[in-house]
Amino acid sequence: MERIGIIGVGEIGRAVVEGLSDGVEEPPEIHLSPRGARTAAELAGRYPNVRARAGNQDVVDGSDVVIVAVRPQDRAEALDALLVGLGRPGRPS
């Protein structure tokens, strides 16, 4: 099963989760960032395949694919200091 991470859980993040989860026989595992914590908690409570994570690095580490759904002015804050890519600790190279 594919693991999808979403950084930024506003309207776009919500729509992606709902689209990947509603009426899907085998939905992917979805990891949500704490940005939009109220929405992330609501979606995690609604869908068994969705998990709210403690931080953006947790989302990246637990995902095969990451969707960045933040406003342009918020991207630096959301993405700074993230370690992404193959060959980093805990990921196959």
Side-chain angles (χ1 to χ4, degrees):
M1 175 183 346
E2 190 168 45
R3 298 171 302 165
I4 298 173
I6 302 175
I7 295 177
V9 189
E11 292 303 314
I12 292 173
R14 175 189 291 278
V16 171
V17 169
E18 291 173 345
L20 292 171
S21 302
D22 277 338
V24 176
E25 188 173 316
E26 291 187 42
E29 185 177 303
I30 301 174
H31 301 272
L32 302 178
S33 72
R35 187 173 188 88
R38 186 176 300 152
T39 302
E42 183 261 318
L43 291 167
R46 221 165 97 197
Y47 299 107
N49 61 306
V50 176
R51 290 166 185 74
R53 303 300 291 249
N56 290 346
Q57 189 65 56
D58 291 336
V59 172
V60 170
D61 291 344
S63 303
D64 300 313
V65 174
V66 177
I67 298 167
V68 179
V70 299
R71 296 177 296 211
Q73 64 268 26
D74 296 331
R75 74 176 176 259
E77 179 185 343
L79 302 177
D80 278 353
L82 288 181
L83 299 175
V84 180
L86 295 176
R88 67 181 199 278
R91 298 292 285 195
S93 38

